[in-house]
PDB file of all heavy atoms in Angstrom:
ATOM      1  N   ASN A 337       7.030 -16.968 -35.920  1.00  0.00           N
ATOM      2  CA  ASN A 337       6.611 -18.307 -35.522  1.00  0.00           C
ATOM      3  C   ASN A 337       7.109 -18.708 -34.127  1.00  0.00           C
ATOM      4  O   ASN A 337       6.998 -19.871 -33.740  1.00  0.00           O
ATOM      5  CB  ASN A 337       7.088 -19.342 -36.546  1.00  0.00           C
ATOM      6  CG  ASN A 337       6.479 -19.098 -37.914  1.00  0.00           C
ATOM      7  OD1 ASN A 337       5.297 -18.790 -38.022  1.00  0.00           O
ATOM      8  ND2 ASN A 337       7.306 -19.218 -38.956  1.00  0.00           N
ATOM      9  N   GLU A 338       7.668 -17.756 -33.404  1.00  0.00           N
ATOM     10  CA  GLU A 338       8.184 -18.070 -32.071  1.00  0.00           C
ATOM     11  C   GLU A 338       7.144 -17.749 -31.004  1.00  0.00           C
ATOM     12  O   GLU A 338       6.421 -16.764 -31.096  1.00  0.00           O
ATOM     13  CB  GLU A 338       9.464 -17.273 -31.798  1.00  0.00           C
ATOM     14  CG  GLU A 338      10.625 -17.677 -32.692  1.00  0.00           C
ATOM     15  CD  GLU A 338      11.878 -16.886 -32.366  1.00  0.00           C
ATOM     16  OE1 GLU A 338      11.865 -16.136 -31.369  1.00  0.00           O
ATOM     17  OE2 GLU A 338      12.854 -17.005 -33.115  1.00  0.00           O
ATOM     18  N   GLU A 339       7.081 -18.553 -29.995  1.00  0.00           N
ATOM     19  CA  GLU A 339       6.161 -18.310 -28.884  1.00  0.00           C
ATOM     20  C   GLU A 339       6.914 -17.573 -27.789  1.00  0.00           C
ATOM     21  O   GLU A 339       8.035 -17.948 -27.432  1.00  0.00           O
ATOM     22  CB  GLU A 339       5.630 -19.636 -28.335  1.00  0.00           C
ATOM     23  CG  GLU A 339       4.716 -20.357 -29.288  1.00  0.00           C
ATOM     24  CD  GLU A 339       4.150 -21.616 -28.674  1.00  0.00           C
ATOM     25  OE1 GLU A 339       4.439 -21.859 -27.478  1.00  0.00           O
ATOM     26  OE2 GLU A 339       3.432 -22.323 -29.390  1.00  0.00           O
ATOM     27  N   GLU A 340       6.271 -16.522 -27.292  1.00  0.00           N
ATOM     28  CA  GLU A 340       6.889 -15.731 -26.232  1.00  0.00           C
ATOM     29  C   GLU A 340       6.108 -15.957 -24.940  1.00  0.00           C
ATOM     30  O   GLU A 340       4.924 -15.625 -24.850  1.00  0.00           O
ATOM     31  CB  GLU A 340       6.885 -14.249 -26.587  1.00  0.00           C
ATOM     32  CG  GLU A 340       7.717 -13.935 -27.803  1.00  0.00           C
ATOM     33  CD  GLU A 340       7.732 -12.447 -28.123  1.00  0.00           C
ATOM     34  OE1 GLU A 340       7.171 -11.679 -27.317  1.00  0.00           O
ATOM     35  OE2 GLU A 340       8.282 -12.099 -29.162  1.00  0.00           O
ATOM     36  N   ASP A 341       6.770 -16.582 -23.970  1.00  0.00           N
ATOM     37  CA  ASP A 341       6.088 -16.861 -22.713  1.00  0.00           C
ATOM     38  C   ASP A 341       6.800 -16.240 -21.505  1.00  0.00           C
ATOM     39  O   ASP A 341       6.503 -16.573 -20.357  1.00  0.00           O
ATOM     40  CB  ASP A 341       5.954 -18.375 -22.499  1.00  0.00           C
ATOM     41  CG  ASP A 341       7.290 -19.080 -22.571  1.00  0.00           C
ATOM     42  OD1 ASP A 341       8.320 -18.384 -22.696  1.00  0.00           O
ATOM     43  OD2 ASP A 341       7.301 -20.308 -22.501  1.00  0.00           O
ATOM     44  N   GLU A 342       7.765 -15.358 -21.799  1.00  0.00           N
ATOM     45  CA  GLU A 342       8.461 -14.715 -20.695  1.00  0.00           C
ATOM     46  C   GLU A 342       7.629 -13.573 -20.134  1.00  0.00           C
ATOM     47  O   GLU A 342       7.075 -12.775 -20.883  1.00  0.00           O
ATOM     48  CB  GLU A 342       9.811 -14.165 -21.164  1.00  0.00           C
ATOM     49  CG  GLU A 342      10.776 -15.250 -21.637  1.00  0.00           C
ATOM     50  CD  GLU A 342      12.097 -14.643 -22.078  1.00  0.00           C
ATOM     51  OE1 GLU A 342      12.233 -13.406 -21.956  1.00  0.00           O
ATOM     52  OE2 GLU A 342      12.965 -15.385 -22.533  1.00  0.00           O
ATOM     53  N   GLU A 343       7.540 -13.503 -18.842  1.00  0.00           N
ATOM     54  CA  GLU A 343       6.821 -12.405 -18.197  1.00  0.00           C
ATOM     55  C   GLU A 343       7.739 -11.209 -18.075  1.00  0.00           C
ATOM     56  O   GLU A 343       8.919 -11.350 -17.772  1.00  0.00           O
ATOM     57  CB  GLU A 343       6.344 -12.821 -16.804  1.00  0.00           C
ATOM     58  CG  GLU A 343       5.277 -13.885 -16.849  1.00  0.00           C
ATOM     59  CD  GLU A 343       4.776 -14.194 -15.460  1.00  0.00           C
ATOM     60  OE1 GLU A 343       5.220 -13.511 -14.515  1.00  0.00           O
ATOM     61  OE2 GLU A 343       3.951 -15.090 -15.337  1.00  0.00           O
ATOM     62  N   GLU A 344       7.146 -10.040 -18.314  1.00  0.00           N
ATOM     63  CA  GLU A 344       7.933  -8.804 -18.279  1.00  0.00           C
ATOM     64  C   GLU A 344       8.277  -8.441 -16.844  1.00  0.00           C
ATOM     65  O   GLU A 344       7.447  -8.521 -15.949  1.00  0.00           O
ATOM     66  CB  GLU A 344       7.099  -7.667 -18.887  1.00  0.00           C
ATOM     67  CG  GLU A 344       7.928  -6.491 -19.331  1.00  0.00           C
ATOM     68  CD  GLU A 344       7.086  -5.475 -20.084  1.00  0.00           C
ATOM     69  OE1 GLU A 344       6.335  -5.882 -20.975  1.00  0.00           O
ATOM     70  OE2 GLU A 344       7.182  -4.301 -19.734  1.00  0.00           O
ATOM     71  N   ASP A 345       9.543  -8.118 -16.620  1.00  0.00           N
ATOM     72  CA  ASP A 345       9.988  -7.712 -15.293  1.00  0.00           C
ATOM     73  C   ASP A 345       9.456  -6.319 -14.996  1.00  0.00           C
ATOM     74  O   ASP A 345       9.779  -5.357 -15.660  1.00  0.00           O
ATOM     75  CB  ASP A 345      11.511  -7.707 -15.247  1.00  0.00           C
ATOM     76  CG  ASP A 345      12.060  -7.427 -13.861  1.00  0.00           C
ATOM     77  OD1 ASP A 345      11.290  -6.973 -13.001  1.00  0.00           O
ATOM     78  OD2 ASP A 345      13.261  -7.684 -13.654  1.00  0.00           O
ATOM     79  N   GLU A 346       8.631  -6.210 -13.954  1.00  0.00           N
ATOM     80  CA  GLU A 346       7.981  -4.926 -13.655  1.00  0.00           C
ATOM     81  C   GLU A 346       8.983  -3.871 -13.235  1.00  0.00           C
ATOM     82  O   GLU A 346       8.710  -2.682 -13.316  1.00  0.00           O
ATOM     83  CB  GLU A 346       6.939  -5.112 -12.555  1.00  0.00           C
ATOM     84  CG  GLU A 346       5.743  -5.945 -13.014  1.00  0.00           C
ATOM     85  CD  GLU A 346       4.697  -6.042 -11.926  1.00  0.00           C
ATOM     86  OE1 GLU A 346       4.915  -5.472 -10.840  1.00  0.00           O
ATOM     87  OE2 GLU A 346       3.664  -6.678 -12.169  1.00  0.00           O
ATOM     88  N   ASP A 347      10.159  -4.303 -12.771  1.00  0.00           N
ATOM     89  CA  ASP A 347      11.155  -3.335 -12.331  1.00  0.00           C
ATOM     90  C   ASP A 347      11.897  -2.695 -13.483  1.00  0.00           C
ATOM     91  O   ASP A 347      12.553  -1.686 -13.331  1.00  0.00           O
ATOM     92  CB  ASP A 347      12.180  -3.995 -11.409  1.00  0.00           C
ATOM     93  CG  ASP A 347      11.562  -4.312 -10.057  1.00  0.00           C
ATOM     94  OD1 ASP A 347      10.608  -3.619  -9.684  1.00  0.00           O
ATOM     95  OD2 ASP A 347      12.029  -5.269  -9.412  1.00  0.00           O
ATOM     96  N   GLU A 348      11.813  -3.313 -14.672  1.00  0.00           N
ATOM     97  CA  GLU A 348      12.562  -2.788 -15.812  1.00  0.00           C
ATOM     98  C   GLU A 348      11.642  -2.046 -16.762  1.00  0.00           C
ATOM     99  O   GLU A 348      10.596  -2.554 -17.159  1.00  0.00           O
ATOM    100  CB  GLU A 348      13.258  -3.929 -16.557  1.00  0.00           C
ATOM    101  CG  GLU A 348      14.351  -4.590 -15.720  1.00  0.00           C
ATOM    102  CD  GLU A 348      15.199  -5.529 -16.552  1.00  0.00           C
ATOM    103  OE1 GLU A 348      15.045  -5.495 -17.790  1.00  0.00           O
ATOM    104  OE2 GLU A 348      15.999  -6.266 -15.971  1.00  0.00           O
ATOM    105  N   ASP A 349      12.044  -0.815 -17.104  1.00  0.00           N
ATOM    106  CA  ASP A 349      11.315  -0.008 -18.081  1.00  0.00           C
ATOM    107  C   ASP A 349       9.843   0.107 -17.716  1.00  0.00           C
ATOM    108  O   ASP A 349       8.954  -0.024 -18.564  1.00  0.00           O
ATOM    109  CB  ASP A 349      11.425  -0.617 -19.488  1.00  0.00           C
ATOM    110  CG  ASP A 349      12.872  -0.818 -19.892  1.00  0.00           C
ATOM    111  OD1 ASP A 349      13.705  -0.014 -19.458  1.00  0.00           O
ATOM    112  OD2 ASP A 349      13.143  -1.773 -20.618  1.00  0.00           O
ATOM    113  N   GLU A 350       9.553   0.355 -16.441  1.00  0.00           N
ATOM    114  CA  GLU A 350       8.182   0.298 -15.976  1.00  0.00           C
ATOM    115  C   GLU A 350       7.258   1.236 -16.735  1.00  0.00           C
ATOM    116  O   GLU A 350       6.165   0.862 -17.128  1.00  0.00           O
ATOM    117  CB  GLU A 350       8.147   0.632 -14.483  1.00  0.00           C
ATOM    118  CG  GLU A 350       6.782   0.413 -13.873  1.00  0.00           C
ATOM    119  CD  GLU A 350       6.846   0.515 -12.382  1.00  0.00           C
ATOM    120  OE1 GLU A 350       7.192   1.607 -11.889  1.00  0.00           O
ATOM    121  OE2 GLU A 350       6.563  -0.466 -11.707  1.00  0.00           O
ATOM    122  N   ASP A 351       7.690   2.460 -16.922  1.00  0.00           N
ATOM    123  CA  ASP A 351       6.840   3.415 -17.622  1.00  0.00           C
ATOM    124  C   ASP A 351       7.512   3.944 -18.883  1.00  0.00           C
ATOM    125  O   ASP A 351       7.035   4.899 -19.475  1.00  0.00           O
ATOM    126  CB  ASP A 351       6.508   4.594 -16.693  1.00  0.00           C
ATOM    127  CG  ASP A 351       5.656   4.170 -15.512  1.00  0.00           C
ATOM    128  OD1 ASP A 351       4.659   3.462 -15.722  1.00  0.00           O
ATOM    129  OD2 ASP A 351       6.023   4.538 -14.400  1.00  0.00           O
ATOM    130  N   GLU A 352       8.633   3.371 -19.270  1.00  0.00           N
ATOM    131  CA  GLU A 352       9.377   3.903 -20.394  1.00  0.00           C
ATOM    132  C   GLU A 352       9.500   2.869 -21.499  1.00  0.00           C
ATOM    133  O   GLU A 352       9.527   1.659 -21.261  1.00  0.00           O
ATOM    134  CB  GLU A 352      10.798   4.309 -19.953  1.00  0.00           C
ATOM    135  CG  GLU A 352      10.804   5.407 -18.892  1.00  0.00           C
ATOM    136  CD  GLU A 352      12.212   5.695 -18.436  1.00  0.00           C
ATOM    137  OE1 GLU A 352      12.940   4.740 -18.130  1.00  0.00           O
ATOM    138  OE2 GLU A 352      12.584   6.870 -18.396  1.00  0.00           O
ATOM    139  N   ASP A 353       9.598   3.352 -22.706  1.00  0.00           N
ATOM    140  CA  ASP A 353       9.835   2.498 -23.868  1.00  0.00           C
ATOM    141  C   ASP A 353       8.901   1.292 -23.911  1.00  0.00           C
ATOM    142  O   ASP A 353       9.329   0.153 -24.050  1.00  0.00           O
ATOM    143  CB  ASP A 353      11.292   2.010 -23.864  1.00  0.00           C
ATOM    144  CG  ASP A 353      12.225   3.088 -24.393  1.00  0.00           C
ATOM    145  OD1 ASP A 353      11.777   4.233 -24.484  1.00  0.00           O
ATOM    146  OD2 ASP A 353      13.368   2.780 -24.709  1.00  0.00           O
ATOM    147  N   GLU A 354       7.616   1.534 -23.727  1.00  0.00           N
ATOM    148  CA  GLU A 354       6.676   0.421 -23.759  1.00  0.00           C
ATOM    149  C   GLU A 354       6.706  -0.236 -25.135  1.00  0.00           C
ATOM    150  O   GLU A 354       7.042   0.370 -26.134  1.00  0.00           O
ATOM    151  CB  GLU A 354       5.266   0.886 -23.410  1.00  0.00           C
ATOM    152  CG  GLU A 354       4.648   1.822 -24.435  1.00  0.00           C
ATOM    153  CD  GLU A 354       3.236   2.244 -24.065  1.00  0.00           C
ATOM    154  OE1 GLU A 354       3.051   2.702 -22.934  1.00  0.00           O
ATOM    155  OE2 GLU A 354       2.352   2.107 -24.923  1.00  0.00           O
ATOM    156  N   ASP A 355       6.355  -1.510 -25.143  1.00  0.00           N
ATOM    157  CA  ASP A 355       6.465  -2.306 -26.368  1.00  0.00           C
ATOM    158  C   ASP A 355       5.442  -1.839 -27.388  1.00  0.00           C
ATOM    159  O   ASP A 355       4.253  -2.078 -27.250  1.00  0.00           O
ATOM    160  CB  ASP A 355       6.247  -3.785 -26.026  1.00  0.00           C
ATOM    161  CG  ASP A 355       6.576  -4.686 -27.205  1.00  0.00           C
ATOM    162  OD1 ASP A 355       7.226  -4.206 -28.137  1.00  0.00           O
ATOM    163  OD2 ASP A 355       6.163  -5.862 -27.171  1.00  0.00           O
ATOM    164  N   GLU A 356       5.883  -1.137 -28.399  1.00  0.00           N
ATOM    165  CA  GLU A 356       4.992  -0.635 -29.432  1.00  0.00           C
ATOM    166  C   GLU A 356       5.735  -0.620 -30.753  1.00  0.00           C
ATOM    167  O   GLU A 356       6.955  -0.510 -30.789  1.00  0.00           O
ATOM    168  CB  GLU A 356       4.496   0.775 -29.087  1.00  0.00           C
ATOM    169  CG  GLU A 356       5.626   1.773 -28.929  1.00  0.00           C
ATOM    170  CD  GLU A 356       5.161   3.140 -28.466  1.00  0.00           C
ATOM    171  OE1 GLU A 356       4.014   3.268 -28.050  1.00  0.00           O
ATOM    172  OE2 GLU A 356       5.978   4.065 -28.541  1.00  0.00           O
ATOM    173  N   GLU A 357       5.008  -0.732 -31.814  1.00  0.00           N
ATOM    174  CA  GLU A 357       5.638  -0.764 -33.130  1.00  0.00           C
ATOM    175  C   GLU A 357       5.956   0.645 -33.594  1.00  0.00           C
ATOM    176  O   GLU A 357       5.124   1.553 -33.512  1.00  0.00           O
ATOM    177  CB  GLU A 357       4.707  -1.449 -34.138  1.00  0.00           C
ATOM    178  CG  GLU A 357       5.334  -1.618 -35.520  1.00  0.00           C
ATOM    179  CD  GLU A 357       4.424  -2.369 -36.471  1.00  0.00           C
ATOM    180  OE1 GLU A 357       3.452  -2.974 -35.992  1.00  0.00           O
ATOM    181  OE2 GLU A 357       4.688  -2.329 -37.679  1.00  0.00           O
ATOM    182  N   GLY A 358       7.180   0.827 -34.097  1.00  0.00           N
ATOM    183  CA  GLY A 358       7.564   2.138 -34.597  1.00  0.00           C
ATOM    184  C   GLY A 358       7.663   3.158 -33.487  1.00  0.00           C
ATOM    185  O   GLY A 358       7.839   2.833 -32.319  1.00  0.00           O
ATOM    186  N   LEU A 359       7.556   4.424 -33.830  1.00  0.00           N
ATOM    187  CA  LEU A 359       7.593   5.531 -32.878  1.00  0.00           C
ATOM    188  C   LEU A 359       6.378   6.407 -33.136  1.00  0.00           C
ATOM    189  O   LEU A 359       6.463   7.416 -33.847  1.00  0.00           O
ATOM    190  CB  LEU A 359       8.884   6.333 -33.051  1.00  0.00           C
ATOM    191  CG  LEU A 359      10.200   5.576 -32.804  1.00  0.00           C
ATOM    192  CD1 LEU A 359      11.384   6.428 -33.224  1.00  0.00           C
ATOM    193  CD2 LEU A 359      10.328   5.164 -31.345  1.00  0.00           C
ATOM    194  N   PRO A 360       5.215   6.044 -32.572  1.00  0.00           N
ATOM    195  CA  PRO A 360       3.964   6.755 -32.885  1.00  0.00           C
ATOM    196  C   PRO A 360       4.012   8.257 -32.636  1.00  0.00           C
ATOM    197  O   PRO A 360       3.453   9.032 -33.416  1.00  0.00           O
ATOM    198  CB  PRO A 360       2.945   6.075 -31.958  1.00  0.00           C
ATOM    199  CG  PRO A 360       3.509   4.734 -31.697  1.00  0.00           C
ATOM    200  CD  PRO A 360       4.986   4.900 -31.669  1.00  0.00           C
ATOM    201  N   LEU A 361       4.660   8.679 -31.542  1.00  0.00           N
ATOM    202  CA  LEU A 361       4.751  10.108 -31.252  1.00  0.00           C
ATOM    203  C   LEU A 361       5.462  10.854 -32.369  1.00  0.00           C
ATOM    204  O   LEU A 361       5.007  11.912 -32.829  1.00  0.00           O
ATOM    205  CB  LEU A 361       5.500  10.330 -29.936  1.00  0.00           C
ATOM    206  CG  LEU A 361       4.693  10.307 -28.643  1.00  0.00           C
ATOM    207  CD1 LEU A 361       5.632  10.378 -27.454  1.00  0.00           C
ATOM    208  CD2 LEU A 361       3.704  11.471 -28.604  1.00  0.00           C
ATOM    209  N   LEU A 362       6.569  10.308 -32.820  1.00  0.00           N
ATOM    210  CA  LEU A 362       7.345  10.956 -33.883  1.00  0.00           C
ATOM    211  C   LEU A 362       6.595  10.893 -35.208  1.00  0.00           C
ATOM    212  O   LEU A 362       6.582  11.874 -35.973  1.00  0.00           O
ATOM    213  CB  LEU A 362       8.716  10.284 -34.012  1.00  0.00           C
ATOM    214  CG  LEU A 362       9.683  10.913 -35.005  1.00  0.00           C
ATOM    215  CD1 LEU A 362       9.914  12.384 -34.693  1.00  0.00           C
ATOM    216  CD2 LEU A 362      11.013  10.147 -34.999  1.00  0.00           C
ATOM    217  N   ALA A 363       5.964   9.763 -35.479  1.00  0.00           N
ATOM    218  CA  ALA A 363       5.208   9.621 -36.726  1.00  0.00           C
ATOM    219  C   ALA A 363       4.072  10.646 -36.787  1.00  0.00           C
ATOM    220  O   ALA A 363       3.846  11.282 -37.832  1.00  0.00           O
ATOM    221  CB  ALA A 363       4.643   8.205 -36.836  1.00  0.00           C
ATOM    222  N   ALA A 364       3.367  10.818 -35.673  1.00  0.00           N
ATOM    223  CA  ALA A 364       2.258  11.775 -35.630  1.00  0.00           C
ATOM    224  C   ALA A 364       2.771  13.204 -35.799  1.00  0.00           C
ATOM    225  O   ALA A 364       2.148  14.029 -36.479  1.00  0.00           O
ATOM    226  CB  ALA A 364       1.501  11.631 -34.315  1.00  0.00           C
ATOM    227  N   LEU A 365       3.905  13.517 -35.190  1.00  0.00           N
ATOM    228  CA  LEU A 365       4.485  14.855 -35.318  1.00  0.00           C
ATOM    229  C   LEU A 365       4.852  15.155 -36.759  1.00  0.00           C
ATOM    230  O   LEU A 365       4.524  16.227 -37.293  1.00  0.00           O
ATOM    231  CB  LEU A 365       5.725  14.975 -34.429  1.00  0.00           C
ATOM    232  CG  LEU A 365       6.538  16.264 -34.612  1.00  0.00           C
ATOM    233  CD1 LEU A 365       5.721  17.486 -34.198  1.00  0.00           C
ATOM    234  CD2 LEU A 365       7.843  16.191 -33.844  1.00  0.00           C
ATOM    235  N   LEU A 366       5.533  14.234 -37.405  1.00  0.00           N
ATOM    236  CA  LEU A 366       5.966  14.461 -38.785  1.00  0.00           C
ATOM    237  C   LEU A 366       4.774  14.590 -39.730  1.00  0.00           C
ATOM    238  O   LEU A 366       4.809  15.372 -40.688  1.00  0.00           O
ATOM    239  CB  LEU A 366       6.889  13.333 -39.239  1.00  0.00           C
ATOM    240  CG  LEU A 366       8.240  13.281 -38.510  1.00  0.00           C
ATOM    241  CD1 LEU A 366       9.035  12.063 -38.930  1.00  0.00           C
ATOM    242  CD2 LEU A 366       9.043  14.552 -38.748  1.00  0.00           C
ATOM    243  N   GLU A 367       3.711  13.858 -39.445  1.00  0.00           N
ATOM    244  CA  GLU A 367       2.498  14.007 -40.249  1.00  0.00           C
ATOM    245  C   GLU A 367       1.903  15.400 -40.069  1.00  0.00           C
ATOM    246  O   GLU A 367       1.452  16.033 -41.037  1.00  0.00           O
ATOM    247  CB  GLU A 367       1.476  12.948 -39.838  1.00  0.00           C
ATOM    248  CG  GLU A 367       0.205  12.974 -40.684  1.00  0.00           C
ATOM    249  CD  GLU A 367      -0.768  11.865 -40.309  1.00  0.00           C
ATOM    250  OE1 GLU A 367      -0.431  11.009 -39.472  1.00  0.00           O
ATOM    251  OE2 GLU A 367      -1.893  11.872 -40.871  1.00  0.00           O
ATOM    252  N   GLU A 368       1.949  15.906 -38.832  1.00  0.00           N
ATOM    253  CA  GLU A 368       1.423  17.245 -38.554  1.00  0.00           C
ATOM    254  C   GLU A 368       2.261  18.328 -39.239  1.00  0.00           C
ATOM    255  O   GLU A 368       1.736  19.371 -39.647  1.00  0.00           O
ATOM    256  CB  GLU A 368       1.406  17.477 -37.040  1.00  0.00           C
ATOM    257  CG  GLU A 368       0.753  18.779 -36.615  1.00  0.00           C
ATOM    258  CD  GLU A 368       0.612  18.903 -35.110  1.00  0.00           C
ATOM    259  OE1 GLU A 368       0.887  17.916 -34.392  1.00  0.00           O
ATOM    260  OE2 GLU A 368       0.215  19.991 -34.645  1.00  0.00           O
ATOM    261  N   LEU A 369       3.564  18.080 -39.376  1.00  0.00           N
ATOM    262  CA  LEU A 369       4.471  19.081 -39.972  1.00  0.00           C
ATOM    263  C   LEU A 369       4.627  18.935 -41.477  1.00  0.00           C
ATOM    264  O   LEU A 369       5.315  19.736 -42.110  1.00  0.00           O
ATOM    265  CB  LEU A 369       5.857  18.966 -39.327  1.00  0.00           C
ATOM    266  CG  LEU A 369       5.984  19.163 -37.820  1.00  0.00           C
ATOM    267  CD1 LEU A 369       7.443  19.089 -37.409  1.00  0.00           C
ATOM    268  CD2 LEU A 369       5.378  20.484 -37.392  1.00  0.00           C
ATOM    269  N   GLU A 370       4.002  17.929 -42.052  1.00  0.00           N
ATOM    270  CA  GLU A 370       4.250  17.620 -43.458  1.00  0.00           C
ATOM    271  C   GLU A 370       3.898  18.788 -44.384  1.00  0.00           C
ATOM    272  O   GLU A 370       4.628  19.084 -45.334  1.00  0.00           O
ATOM    273  CB  GLU A 370       3.445  16.381 -43.873  1.00  0.00           C
ATOM    274  CG  GLU A 370       3.725  15.940 -45.301  1.00  0.00           C
ATOM    275  CD  GLU A 370       3.039  14.650 -45.667  1.00  0.00           C
ATOM    276  OE1 GLU A 370       2.222  14.150 -44.855  1.00  0.00           O
ATOM    277  OE2 GLU A 370       3.296  14.129 -46.764  1.00  0.00           O
TER     278      GLU A 370
END
Side-chain angles (χ1 to χ4, degrees):
N337 298 318
E338 294 181 7
E339 292 183 4
E340 296 182 6
D341 55 5
E342 297 180 3
E343 292 184 4
E344 199 173 312
D345 186 346
E346 292 183 0
D347 288 334
E348 294 191 10
D349 305 328
E350 188 170 62
D351 294 312
E352 298 176 312
D353 280 14
E354 66 179 52
D355 189 15
E356 59 185 12
E357 184 177 346
L359 298 171
L361 273 173
L362 184 56
L365 172 64
L366 293 175
E367 183 177 354
E368 186 173 352
L369 301 183
E370 184 174 7

